[in-house]
Amino acid sequence: MANLFQSVRGFNDVLPADSAAWQQLYRIAGEVFAAYGYGEIKLPLLEHTGLFKRSIGEVTDIVEKEMFTFTDREGDSLTLRPEGTASCVRAGLEHGLLHNQQQRLWYAGPMFRHERPQAGRYRQFHQFGVEAYGMTGPDIDAEVIALSARLLKRLGLTDVTLELNSLGGSEVRKRYREALLEFLLRHESSLDADSQRRVRSNPLRVLDSKSETTQALLADAPSIQDAFDDAARAHFDGLQQALSDLGLAYRLNNRLVRGIDYYTSTVFEWTTTQLGAQGTVLAGGRYDGLVEQLGGSATPAVGWACGIERLLLLQKALGVEIDSSAADVYFCWLGEAAQREARKLAEQLRDMVPGLRIVLHADGGKLAAQLKRANRSGAAVALILGDTEVEARTVQVKSLRADAAGASAQQILPWPELAALLAGLVK
RNA sequence: GUGGGCGUAGCUCAGUUGGUUAGAGUCCCAGAUUGUGAUUCUGGUUGUCGGGGGUUCGAGUCCCCUCGCUCACCCCA
């Protein structure tokens, strides 16, 4: 109990029992990204603090109170990345990937936010993200959303809803913000305490307040659609048309705003009710101003990120089957001579049958104890090699699963025939 | 950062108005079976009762402080 050391709060270990689910998730995600022609970009975990302040927004909660920031030995302020988009844009600019070009990129890895941990929220958590640059039309918005839908579907995640909104573009957003602010200031005293605090710092955030009285008040608030110009309307209509063409159901939610400043037009979220308070599983939108804001030429961009732990939690809640990572074969041996042969045979089998998973028993012990371990290992088959078998150059092949009705539970096989038989166990 | 719940064996938990050496199940180990698992039977190991202090003849139990976990708020993936 009273261990000398514990992991840092909110920083979790993933144990072997869970890592199979992680590996399967990464494999499937990689396949889906490849299916749309997206290339992986590997980004550092640490960036200059200013990058995040400038991109996410000085007055957002992420920047104000959630970043892991420290001063290094040279006096520079560095921050463990709280999200991936800022790094992606920085890298794209640094390596000339964005100027007058189109890019389809994805990334994966840990992100860090100094929040109080709770279900589905950790201080080190992991995200997949997708970013597309240099394309202005709603077709690319539809593409990244279709990609996300395919990913969720491939992962067996059914109980999710796509919510959609548009902030209309940076001009529209700015104009709407002023109209909304004016409305909110008129009713400031009727707002809940959290919303009152947000009115001046980030008025759009008041829209998705959880307070019922605030929501009731907002019924009379100006609607963002009313602030749309022709271009904004055409873009949003085009996106909805594309989603309908693909048969992707969505729910319009004009209260949907994202907490990060750089979103300008399309915003969307996949949500679930299965995960307690953390209902957002994947979210993103269009951020046409960010590249320029970080020093590049004006470049349209759209992307999303998903929380890997939340996907895994949802898989678990929905009872999604995970591939077994158990061994196929457990190799038992009795005596020193047999151990030496078993060691060589196991290596030969690994050469001859790629993908075969063999556990070679270690540390001796009686056969009953070895078979007990074999059974617990999850292996389908136990191999048994003793002096008798070494002499005859054979091995006992014992089935550990009763499901194959009629199949002989145990047989004796000459060494040369072993590989062919065990090849049948590889999935 | 704010609030609620919870910390007893590797795991899941019981532990009476404070009372002697802190328990069960499971897991693990050994034997029954000196070369056959998963079933059965027998035996065995496992504890700074989260940590520190206090009250008391006596504290797992009461009080104070503290740490951790967890859920929710805030916020977000």
Side-chain angles (χ1 to χ4, degrees), chain A residues 156-161 271-274 314 318:
Chain A
L157 271 22
T158 48
D159 191 27
V160 286
T161 306
T271 60
T272 178
T273 55
Q274 301 268 334
L314 187 54
L318 296 173

Side-chain angles (χ1 to χ4, degrees), chain A residues 30-38 150:
Chain A
E31 288 171 11
V32 173
F33 296 142
Y36 288 80
Y38 283 63
R150 182 176 297 273

Side-chain angles (χ1 to χ4, degrees), chain A residues 44-119:
Chain A
L45 307 193
L46 206 57
E47 298 276 2
H48 292 287
T49 303
L51 173 67
F52 300 119
K53 286 193 174 174
R54 184 132 186 188
S55 56
I56 297 168
E58 291 271 5
V59 295
T60 57
D61 280 33
I62 292 179
V63 169
E64 275 185 340
K65 51 182 210 190
E66 294 175 3
M67 295 205 302
F68 280 92
T69 296
F70 63 95
T71 305
D72 77 353
R73 287 162 188 270
E74 282 143 24
D76 295 332
S77 180
L78 304 178
T79 295
L80 286 167
R81 62 181 186 187
E83 59 106 43
T85 299
S87 301
C88 192
V89 171
R90 190 229 83 223
L93 288 173
E94 191 163 335
H95 301 285
L97 266 39
L98 304 185
H99 189 69
N100 285 337
Q101 293 181 65
Q102 294 188 344
Q103 293 289 348
R104 289 176 167 85
L105 305 171
W106 69 271
Y107 60 82
M111 307 294 165
F112 305 86
R113 290 183 202 173
H114 197 278
E115 304 175 272
R116 191 86 165 254
Q118 69 185 72

Side-chain angles (χ1 to χ4, degrees), chain A residues 50 114 124 139 162 362:
Chain A
H114 197 278
Q124 175 179 320
D139 46 348
L162 174 61

